[in-house]
Amino acid sequence: MSGERSGERFRDVLRGTIDGKTVVARRGATVLETAESVGIRIPTLCHREGLPPDGNCRLCVVETKGKLVISCMFPVREDGFAILTQSPGVREARRFVLSLMLNRAPKAPAILKLAGEYGAGADPRFSRDPDNCVRCGRCVRACRANRTEAIALVGRGFERSVSGPFEKPPPDCVGCLSCAFVCPTGNILYSERDGKRRIWDKEFRLVPCPECGTPVFTEEQIRFLGEKASGLCPECGRRRLASALRNAEPLSGGSRGF
Amino acid sequence: MPKTNPGAPEAVDLTGLRGLLESRPPEARELLPLLRDIQTRYRHLPEEAVRGLSEYLGLPLARVYAVSRFYKSLSRVPKGERLVKVCLGTACHLRGAPALLEALEGKLGLALGETGKDGRFTLESVNCVGACALAPVVMLDDEVHGKLNDESLADLPL
Ligand code: SF4
Ligand code: FES
Ligand code: FES
């Protein structure tokens, strides 16, 4: 490694505080990542590891230099940063955000729990037919990340909702359940019985795992994945990979470390 | 939300669609221009045309549909041959837009947001067209008619 390079590296390490605790951060890391690296928990809703951040729910606000910023996207950029994750301003902002969300999803356990923590009650001025969806868009981002992009957030303002094209069963949906899996409020419902799965008003036939017979994937999913799909359920897939690795010829020369 | 009364949605003749799409290159940046072309040609966005557009551009239907629902000037139901937009922005409001709207509703026999059964006019409101000095303003399609009063209103080609 050249000297210049390591110098650059050195400059990329920043020192500051979170809630008064001295913290070392990588330049450009989000405040959320940095806080989590030292075990400080910040509540999040629209953020989810593995999905591109969107910063739409505003629950993860923190205070820095007297301003509120969203920790899931705000990067740590300078030495001497000072961040507060539980200041009165922060708590008030989260309480407000949660009071709005209670109108959208008054029964969702995740929202109720947070509302309890922050003493939030629903604000009746903004109450409109609750449907258990907080419009965080995690489902849409998951679907997009899978390259199916079968659903979208459609419309504006109060009318905005997650939907397939023309409010009909989405033609591009392969029944993978990713949307239901990432939804923080449990709004996306699906059912499985008799080897069939229903989601988004569409029915899919489940294909039994060729090894153990557990039905996990839909026909459409396997077709969509093409050659990449073995059709094995995750468990059998892991077992097969493990045995392949065990029997593999060791790589000549190099060490096995990363 | 303004209501609409499109009447029974008729089957739309989409024979010219191919040519309309091919007037622009199949690139993602043409999404909005093409949606506007479709709106202009058919006075709304027929479902089949939106599907055709998604195929032509190779963009997911869900994305194309979401964009088509984002803009107020793109419509799911057929609009009249002519769009009458009354400005209800602050300047126009102060200069009598509410009365102007009422007069127009009477003249066209339409409530705000409606399209006539004969399909000739749609009456809509906008919130400032950037011509406040001419308040109160009405737009007929792309023409701005400003400083409207009872007399000039009677002169509008409606
Ligand atoms: S359905 Fe769930 S994941 Fe999708 S926007 Fe609503 S709350 Fe978020
Ligand atoms: S988690 Fe940061 S804005 Fe939603
Ligand atoms: S308020 Fe009517 S043009 Fe500005």
Side-chain angles (χ1 to χ4, degrees), chain A residues 144 149-154 156 159 165-168 171-172, chain B residues 1 47 50-51 60-63 65-66 69-72 76:
Chain A
R144 194 167 189 168
E149 200 166 339
I151 51 174
L153 275 160
V154 174
R156 307 203 320 203
E159 320 291 329
F166 311 102
E167 285 68 48
K168 291 179 187 166
D172 294 328
Chain B
M1 265 265 135
E47 194 173 315
V50 175
R51 288 181 198 279
L61 183 59
R63 199 188 307 174
Y65 178 67
R69 289 287 312 279
F70 190 81
Y71 299 94
K72 206 181 156 194
R76 277 194 295 178

Side-chain angles (χ1 to χ4, degrees), chain B residues 106-117:
Chain B
K107 202 170 152 105
L108 296 170
L110 296 173
L112 189 59
E114 280 184 343
T115 300
K117 289 230 163 53

Side-chain angles (χ1 to χ4, degrees), chain A residues 73-93:
Chain A
M73 293 185 84
F74 195 85
V76 180
R77 279 182 299 218
E78 51 190 34
D79 248 332
F81 61 87
I83 289 150
L84 298 173
T85 73
Q86 289 291 345
S87 72
V90 164
R91 290 193 64 89
E92 171 58 24

Side-chain angles (χ1 to χ4, degrees), chain A residues 136-190:
Chain A
C136 68
R138 278 200 202 182
C139 51
V140 172
R141 277 176 284 147
C143 194
R144 194 167 189 168
N146 286 343
R147 308 180 63 89
T148 32
E149 200 166 339
I151 51 174
L153 275 160
V154 174
R156 307 203 320 203
F158 276 118
E159 320 291 329
R160 193 165 171 81
S161 67
V162 176
S163 158
F166 311 102
E167 285 68 48
K168 291 179 187 166
D172 294 328
C173 176
V174 297
C176 73
L177 303 187
S178 299
C179 52
F181 186 68
V182 298
C183 176
T185 61
N187 179 48
I188 300 178
L189 303 174
Y190 68 95

Side-chain angles (χ1 to χ4, degrees), chain A residues 2-243:
Chain A
S2 77
E4 200 188 309
R5 265 273 180 97
S6 61
E8 222 165 80
R9 278 231 165 155
F10 187 67
R11 266 184 274 126
D12 279 347
V13 175
L14 303 175
R15 259 161 252 275
T17 61
I18 300 183
D19 295 340
K21 185 168 164 180
T22 305
V23 173
V24 174
R26 182 173 51 78
R27 182 190 297 277
T30 63
V31 169
L32 180 65
E33 281 173 288
T34 309
E36 277 173 354
S37 74
V38 293
I40 292 174
R41 184 187 152 267
I42 297 173
T44 57
L45 201 55
C46 68
H47 177 83
R48 191 178 200 283
E49 199 135 0
L51 295 179
D54 195 46
N56 65 53
C57 77
R58 321 311 279 189
L59 185 67
C60 68
V61 287
V62 295
E63 193 176 319
T64 178
K65 294 186 184 164
K67 277 191 285 192
L68 294 181
V69 297
I70 49 168
S71 60
C72 66
M73 293 185 84
F74 195 85
V76 180
R77 279 182 299 218
E78 51 190 34
D79 248 332
F81 61 87
I83 289 150
L84 298 173
T85 73
Q86 289 291 345
S87 72
V90 164
R91 290 193 64 89
E92 171 58 24
R94 289 189 194 147
R95 196 194 56 74
F96 174 69
V97 164
L98 286 163
S99 75
L100 295 178
M101 285 182 180
L102 277 175
N103 282 316
R104 283 295 199 187
K107 294 202 195 93
I111 305 293
L112 286 171
K113 181 161 172 272
L114 283 161
E117 258 174 63
Y118 286 88
D123 186 332
R125 284 178 302 166
F126 304 115
S127 164
R128 292 272 179 112
D129 350 303
D131 58 6
N132 213 27
C133 168
V134 291
R135 276 71 176 167
C136 68
R138 278 200 202 182
C139 51
V140 172
R141 277 176 284 147
C143 194
R144 194 167 189 168
N146 286 343
R147 308 180 63 89
T148 32
E149 200 166 339
I151 51 174
L153 275 160
V154 174
R156 307 203 320 203
F158 276 118
E159 320 291 329
R160 193 165 171 81
S161 67
V162 176
S163 158
F166 311 102
E167 285 68 48
K168 291 179 187 166
D172 294 328
C173 176
V174 297
C176 73
L177 303 187
S178 299
C179 52
F181 186 68
V182 298
C183 176
T185 61
N187 179 48
I188 300 178
L189 303 174
Y190 68 95
S191 63
E192 268 170 22
R193 78 161 116 101
D194 307 331
K196 300 256 172 63
R197 172 183 295 162
R198 282 197 75 87
I199 185 165
W200 290 109
D201 276 331
K202 258 181 105 167
E203 192 171 87
F204 301 90
R205 204 175 68 85
L206 291 167
V207 181
C209 167
E211 222 125 281
C212 71
T214 317
V216 175
F217 295 118
T218 68
E219 274 175 329
E220 284 79 355
Q221 219 176 337
I222 292 174
R223 212 177 306 133
F224 179 77
L225 290 171
E227 282 165 14
K228 279 177 278 166
S230 64
L232 292 173
C233 73
E235 186 123 337
C236 293
R238 263 195 297 277
R239 210 172 295 134
R240 184 180 283 186
L241 180 65
S243 82

